[in-house]
Amino acid sequence: MHNIFIIYTGGTIGMVKDEQTGSFVPFDFELIARNLPDLSRLNYKLTVHSFTPIIDSSNMNPTVWIEMANIVKQNYEHYDGFVILHGSDTMAFSASVLSFMLEGLQKPVILSGSQLPIGEIRTDARENLMTALEIASAQVNGTSLIQEVCILFDNKLFRGNRSFKYNSAKFEAFRSPNYPVLVEAGIHLKYNNEALLDNRYKQFILHTKLDDRVAVLKLFPGMNANTIRTILNSDVRSIVMETFGSGNTTTDEWFLDLLKEAIDKGKNILNISQCKVGSVELGRYETSQGLKSIGVLNGYDMTFEAAVTKLMYLQGEFEDQKDVAYWIEKDIRGELTVND
């Protein structure tokens, strides 16, 4: 019998329709259990921890992330795997930050949910939850096959810090274009063993310090200089700069001067692409050569969610901005591919 710990934070999977307003509102895990009688047929011992009150994922924040990570740590030795039921809107942020907080993880932590509530006729909730539980319990010779934080949606298991939500209208809500799918669920579960992390010889360490002093600068043609200056001068330690293509920006002197001024004041500026597929290649084109020379950092193929949460994690770990700058460009949890 496998011991699986379920953390129920909230989300669409446990919602019901308010008859007066017609809106979906949060309910509790008992609703899920009633609509999924097959849970009792599984050879699993399920333990459920429900957040009180349960949380709409739009309200997710570092305090909740720390609580989730602590729950995993407190129960780590007693369970074979963990399933976190979570709203899909910010699921990729939570999966990314947990991957950094749970270093050396040797058991699966799988986030899942649904696009329709579990009480709906055509819901995707049942399949998502049952598959997540099966993968969370999968072992070979007592060793978990999955040793990382993942997202399970629509019969695919993705690395958590490589995923993003791309569709709000289909069951196929998540994608991971820059890293292979870890498991595909058909008639059988097909594991992509070469893509899985192997943490067997690492020590499991919990990190709970997060520094949320991070801003975002998303570029577009004709962006106002005063707007850029305001963002760069805000009270943050790091800025995620979403650029064009493979990391390109305007070459206007005033723009590069503003970036250099912020960097000279001790801020880190991390360059990631607005494109969902591909990687930043600083210096490949003239429009990014200037960025590299003034000290803009390379985010390679990190997702936006991974970039933001990795900076929060590193800023919590290091007071020295140079340490943050060093580690943001390194692959520490499988979140990026260095293409130098």
Side-chain angles (χ1 to χ4, degrees):
M1 178 175 288
H2 296 286
N3 293 326
I4 306 297
F5 197 94
I6 298 175
I7 302 173
Y8 175 59
T9 67
T12 299
I13 191 169
M15 287 188 175
V16 293
K17 185 175 287 187
D18 186 300
E19 297 300 330
Q20 292 183 336
T21 65
S23 300
F24 287 116
V25 295
F27 203 66
D28 55 37
F29 189 81
E30 291 302 317
L31 174 72
I32 297 174
R34 288 199 303 272
N35 281 274
L36 198 54
D38 286 344
L39 282 175
S40 61
R41 297 170 53 194
L42 298 174
N43 189 30
Y44 301 156
K45 179 182 178 182
L46 302 179
T47 302
V48 180
H49 174 90
S50 292
F51 274 62
T52 305
I54 57 175
I55 303 164
D56 187 288
S57 70
S58 298
N59 293 320
M60 202 55 60
N61 59 65
T63 300
V64 181
W65 290 333
I66 292 169
E67 184 175 354
M68 283 193 286
N70 274 317
I71 292 170
V72 172
K73 174 63 175 178
Q74 291 161 8
N75 295 279
Y76 187 77
E77 298 299 331
H78 307 293
Y79 293 88
D80 300 309
F82 299 83
V83 172
I84 300 177
L85 299 180
H86 191 294
S88 61
D89 286 349
T90 60
M91 186 180 290
F93 287 96
S94 295
S96 293
V97 75
L98 287 173
S99 77
F100 300 121
M101 298 172 75
L102 303 173
E103 180 183 356
L105 192 65
Q106 296 170 34
K107 297 180 180 182
V109 174
I110 300 176
L111 283 78
S112 192
S114 63
Q115 294 286 67
L116 286 175
I118 199 164
E120 297 291 297
I121 298 296
R122 294 179 49 254
T123 183
D124 55 331
R126 300 183 187 90
E127 192 69 29
N128 285 346
L129 177 53
M130 297 296 280
T131 305
L133 290 171
E134 185 173 355
I135 295 174
S137 67
Q139 297 181 348
V140 172
N141 297 324
T143 299
S144 296
L145 288 176
I146 303 299
Q147 301 177 24
E148 53 184 293
V149 180
C150 303
I151 289 176
L152 185 287
F153 238 87
D154 194 39
N155 296 315
K156 292 183 176 67
L157 186 77
F158 304 102
R159 176 163 295 166
N161 56 34
R162 290 283 196 156
S163 311
F164 61 89
K165 184 176 181 181
Y166 91 102
N167 199 317
S168 62
K170 292 184 178 181
F171 291 149
E172 184 194 359
F174 289 85
R175 283 187 176 174
S176 173
N178 289 321
Y179 198 78
V181 173
L182 303 183
V183 182
E184 290 194 55
I187 296 176
H188 303 288
L189 295 178
K190 184 179 179 181
Y191 286 80
N192 185 355
N193 293 311
E194 293 183 356
L196 303 179
L197 287 182
D198 184 357
N199 291 327
R200 285 176 295 171
Y201 305 108
K202 296 182 179 180
Q203 180 183 1
F204 175 49
I205 303 172
L206 173 67
H207 302 271
T208 57
K209 293 181 180 178
L210 297 174
D211 183 341
D212 62 3
R213 287 177 290 173
V214 178
V216 178
L217 174 60
K218 188 180 180 93
L219 301 184
F220 58 86
M223 196 166 184
N224 183 277
N226 288 330
T227 301
I228 294 175
R229 183 181 293 107
T230 299
I231 295 171
L232 294 175
N233 289 336
S234 60
D235 184 24
V236 296
R237 292 175 62 183
S238 300
I239 297 105
V240 176
M241 182 170 66
E242 289 193 275
T243 56
F244 311 122
S246 57
N248 304 312
T249 69
T250 175
T251 57
D252 287 349
E253 186 175 348
W254 64 265
F255 176 74
L256 296 177
D257 286 345
L258 285 176
L259 296 183
K260 186 177 185 303
E261 180 183 339
I263 293 169
D264 289 344
K265 289 179 179 178
K267 286 184 168 63
N268 286 321
I269 299 179
L270 179 66
N271 185 347
I272 66 169
S273 176
Q274 295 178 18
C275 299
K276 297 298 187 181
V277 183
S279 179
V280 167
E281 299 179 60
L282 285 179
R284 180 180 180 184
Y285 296 100
E286 179 185 0
T287 46
S288 66
Q289 286 177 348
L291 303 178
K292 189 174 183 179
S293 66
I294 64 175
V296 170
L297 302 169
N298 194 336
Y300 297 99
D301 57 353
M302 268 194 294
T303 65
F304 172 72
E305 293 85 347
V308 168
T309 57
K310 185 177 179 181
L311 282 170
M312 289 184 183
Y313 160 71
L314 291 175
Q315 290 179 169
E317 291 289 299
F318 303 107
E319 294 184 7
D320 193 325
Q321 288 288 82
K322 293 181 180 178
D323 291 329
V324 175
Y326 176 82
W327 287 108
I328 196 65
E329 294 186 318
K330 304 298 181 184
D331 178 23
I332 61 174
R333 304 284 193 275
E335 74 282 359
L336 63 82
T337 305
V338 176
N339 56 17
D340 288 347

